[in-house]
Amino acid sequence: MKTLLVLAFVSVSGAKPTALPPSWAPVQKLLDEQKFEAASKEIQKRLNEASARKDDAEWARALVKLTQARMGLSGYETAVRQLTEQAWPEEPIARTTVELYYAYSLLFYSRQYAWEIRQRERVESRGKVDLKAWTADQIREEIHRTFERAWARRQGLGRHRVAELKEYLESNNY
């Protein structure tokens, strides 16, 4: 039996991130003021620049922040779908950060729409099935697959300190 690992990611409405680069202060101010649309536009610019430069740390940060801003607009399905449609960094810690945030986003989405999701019947298709049609089991399976991908990189990730992810994780939060 698989168990679900839950990480406490910093969310838009949660604790303020630590170690956020000073250049992100204007964006964080927009998020704090719940100006999610304006924040999304600024973050999208930063995302485009970071991906073009192949700046993996900044790329991951922009993907996470953009997803947070879009979730702040109550567009949970859209935020998760748009995250999956973006290119993701390849560097292991940046990639794992985005993947774990994707899993967190799916978990958050499934909690927000639990009643509706439980009413769904599984859709079998050869093509891609929209998140709006996923059942609770399908969401849970995708979360597990995402954790398994991160777990597969554990050897290489072991060289990194947990502190490198402090802007994304709330440590010791049960």
Side-chain angles (χ1 to χ4, degrees), residues 96 145-157:
T96 302
R145 278 191 297 274
T146 304
F147 285 151
E148 287 169 358
R149 285 191 301 270
W151 182 254
R153 286 194 291 278
R154 70 190 177 281
Q155 193 74 29
L157 293 172

Side-chain angles (χ1 to χ4, degrees), residues 77-110:
E77 291 166 338
T78 302
V80 173
R81 180 182 45 77
Q82 289 176 338
L83 176 60
T84 62
E85 291 172 350
Q86 297 282 341
W88 291 1
E90 290 300 322
E91 187 275 323
I93 198 155
R95 178 65 172 228
T96 302
T97 299
V98 175
E99 284 185 343
L100 292 176
Y101 198 78
Y102 168 59
Y104 167 80
S105 300
L106 284 169
L107 181 63
F108 189 76
Y109 162 72
S110 68

Side-chain angles (χ1 to χ4, degrees), residues 58-71:
E58 188 74 358
W59 191 352
R61 180 178 297 112
L63 285 168
V64 168
K65 286 292 182 188
L66 187 57
T67 304
Q68 288 175 341
R70 289 175 174 159
M71 288 177 125

